[in-house]
Amino acid sequence: PVENISKLLIVRPDAIGDMILTLPAIKAIKEALPNISITVLASPINSQLIEHLPYIDDVIIDKKVTSLFGFFRYVKWIKSFGFDCAVHYYSESKTCWGAYFAGIKYNLGDKAKLGLWPVLRKYGLFYRSFDQPKHVVHYNFMLAESLGIRFKDDVSLTIPVPKEGKEKAEKLLQKLGRKTIRPIVGIHLGVGGGNRPLTPEKYAYYINELSKELDCDIVITGHTEKEKEYRTVIKRLVKRSLLDCVGKTDLK
């Protein structure tokens, strides 16, 4: 019953990409239910991605729990906000059971995980059991169907960059020799995470091939020490100058 909900919690304290793929559903919830206050439980890094968005009323940073006593404090903290409903886009024991013991009445999420069944059994669904070819954005809409939200084919996926982020990026690129008359291609030297990374030699090969096909500026970005090592190898193998932003940018 949507009329019983005034404060909604969106649980998404994981990766940046996962947050981006959830934003269309959050926006649709706000547009359909403008009187409901939407709070997002986020990680410190992906909170920077959403704190300026007009369809999100508040952002809270998830807390680490390392003991049973810490879990009780976590529950007390969640309870203090007075949420009526939680949409669990990140279905893990700490957040799901934390919401349950905090007294959140309506918990929507993927109830495929046996250990979360008692929390999600009433309002959750098996939302990836069938029709696997759907886009992740579509799956995220399915979790909000109990709120009357339906996926539409014209849903767009965007990465919202605040004005100050764009201005700082433009100044940095100009300082590095950006030629605004040419298109620009950004290549992030992603090394971390659970996937097996590309080797620096493959990045260099791609850049060299791209340069044959397109007259453009190429900017490389990265943050970790490993990505800085990649940068050194790539610049040695690439036959053109690069706009080197490795270690010079934040998320925005």
Side-chain angles (χ1 to χ4, degrees), residues 22-34 38 55 141 144 148-152 155:
T22 308
L23 292 179
I26 300 174
K27 185 178 181 182
I29 294 171
K30 189 65 174 179
E31 289 174 349
L33 306 168
I38 295 179
Y55 50 88
F141 269 80
I149 309 303
R150 296 290 183 270
F151 179 81
K152 297 179 182 179
V155 167

Side-chain angles (χ1 to χ4, degrees), residues 132-144:
Q132 289 293 326
K134 287 182 178 176
H135 195 280
V136 176
V137 170
H138 198 160
Y139 291 126
N140 289 337
F141 269 80
M142 291 171 66
L143 276 192

